[in-house]
Amino acid sequence: HNVTVLENVAYNTNGHSFLLRDGKEWNNKIELNLAAKNRNPGGDDAGFLIRSLRNVIVGNVVAGAVDRGFSFPIEGSVKEPSRSGLPGGNPSPRKDIGGSILNNVAHGCHGYAFILSRWLITSDTSVPLKGFRLYRNLGTGAYIRGYYVKFHDAFFADNRVKSVDLSYCDNCQLKNVDIVGDTALIQDEYKAHGTWHQCIGDPEYSSSFRYVGVEMFAWNDHETKYDELGQRFEDVRFSGFTNSSCAHAKAVAFEKKRRMPHYDLLTTMSGVVNLDDGDFPVDFCTASEVMEVEDVVFN
């Protein structure tokens, strides 16, 4: 507890570069550190792996990770041996409302730039994750799984599979977010190398589209029966999808390979803007095909 990790560089490490392992490490400050080119001998290794959000994680950078940039696999309980003898019993990091996660950057990661999984807050009291800059990653920018996750003031660009994957994400919010499919710089690079409209994409998908800005996989937890909103988009700006380097890119799409028997949470969008000239490439047809959605209403 109460440790400051400030202005360090971890370069070319085997495995995780910075690690809070057990979920018990609370009220620490991890600020202005760099994890560069960490290797992945064990699988799923990250520049920063942190199992509890009850910390201050500010201004850190991951560059060129072989697998993951920032990984937050939130634990249901504190891992052994740290949980033995904890005062007040064994707390659940998944129920913490979070600390200060602010202005972190990941680029050049071969897998996921950011993963947050199983943060199961049961009310709209979670602390927003703010100011992430996730760009030029060969995989996905942010994979988010949990309840009441708030992703604010973020920037995504040139991520080759997805910018944001809202997977099993109930009552999650994107607010004041910029999502760029292709920047002008990356378009010029692809044209110069003769790879225009040759998508990397995700092999899980059919050839109908290859990468997306936001993919939604919404669901309803029938044990808790939340009556509140599903995904919430507020002031989200899309660009670089209408005329992108991938012929079938989509700014917003639904998961195609998984069938959802109960899609009964409302997704709301306010202040969503397409900054490109031309049509806004949004795939609501998939929602109809996969999840039997019958009505889409724009206000």
Side-chain angles (χ1 to χ4, degrees), residues 119-166:
W119 191 21
L120 305 181
I121 303 297
T122 56
S123 64
D124 197 12
T125 58
S126 58
V127 176
L129 311 176
K130 289 187 174 182
F132 271 93
R133 301 291 184 264
L134 307 174
Y135 60 93
R136 283 211 170 196
N137 298 289
L138 292 179
T140 294
Y143 174 92
I144 303 172
R145 179 173 183 170
Y147 304 154
Y148 293 102
V149 179
K150 301 171 185 173
F151 217 75
H152 292 183
D153 308 329
F155 174 80
F156 300 85
D158 297 333
N159 297 299
R160 291 296 86 195
V161 178
K162 309 165 195 172
S163 283
V164 183
D165 187 349
L166 299 176

Side-chain angles (χ1 to χ4, degrees), residues 87-234:
N90 186 6
S92 173
R94 291 179 184 170
K95 305 299 183 182
D96 281 343
I97 64 171
S100 178
I101 316 296
L102 179 66
N103 294 342
N104 297 286
V105 176
H107 60 86
C109 300
H110 293 199
Y112 295 90
F114 170 92
I115 292 181
L116 172 64
S117 61
R118 297 189 178 278
W119 191 21
L120 305 181
I121 303 297
T122 56
S123 64
D124 197 12
T125 58
S126 58
V127 176
L129 311 176
K130 289 187 174 182
F132 271 93
R133 301 291 184 264
L134 307 174
Y135 60 93
R136 283 211 170 196
N137 298 289
L138 292 179
T140 294
Y143 174 92
I144 303 172
R145 179 173 183 170
Y147 304 154
Y148 293 102
V149 179
K150 301 171 185 173
F151 217 75
H152 292 183
D153 308 329
F155 174 80
F156 300 85
D158 297 333
N159 297 299
R160 291 296 86 195
V161 178
K162 309 165 195 172
S163 283
V164 183
D165 187 349
L166 299 176
S167 180
Y168 289 108
C169 201
D170 268 358
N171 305 300
C172 294
Q173 181 188 59
L174 298 179
K175 184 175 182 179
N176 190 30
V177 173
D178 288 282
I179 301 175
V180 184
D182 285 340
T183 60
L185 179 62
I186 202 73
Q187 289 189 6
D188 290 343
E189 288 184 11
Y190 285 143
K191 290 177 180 178
H193 290 88
T195 55
W196 188 251
H197 282 173
Q198 296 181 22
C199 309
I200 295 176
D202 188 334
E204 292 287 325
Y205 293 96
S206 70
S207 59
S208 60
F209 65 87
R210 294 300 183 99
Y211 72 83
V212 298
V214 178
E215 180 189 84
M216 289 186 286
F217 178 26
W219 64 305
N220 186 37
D221 185 336
H222 290 279
E223 294 181 2
T224 54
K225 296 187 181 298
Y226 294 143
D227 294 324
E228 300 187 37
L229 296 177
Q231 320 301 359
R232 293 171 286 171
F233 291 65
E234 299 179 26

Side-chain angles (χ1 to χ4, degrees), residues 16-32:
H16 308 301
S17 297
F18 298 88
L19 170 65
L20 298 183
R21 176 185 177 275
D22 294 338
K24 179 192 176 184
E25 303 89 351
W26 302 326
N27 303 323
N28 301 292
K29 294 182 179 180
I30 302 177
E31 299 182 355
L32 305 177

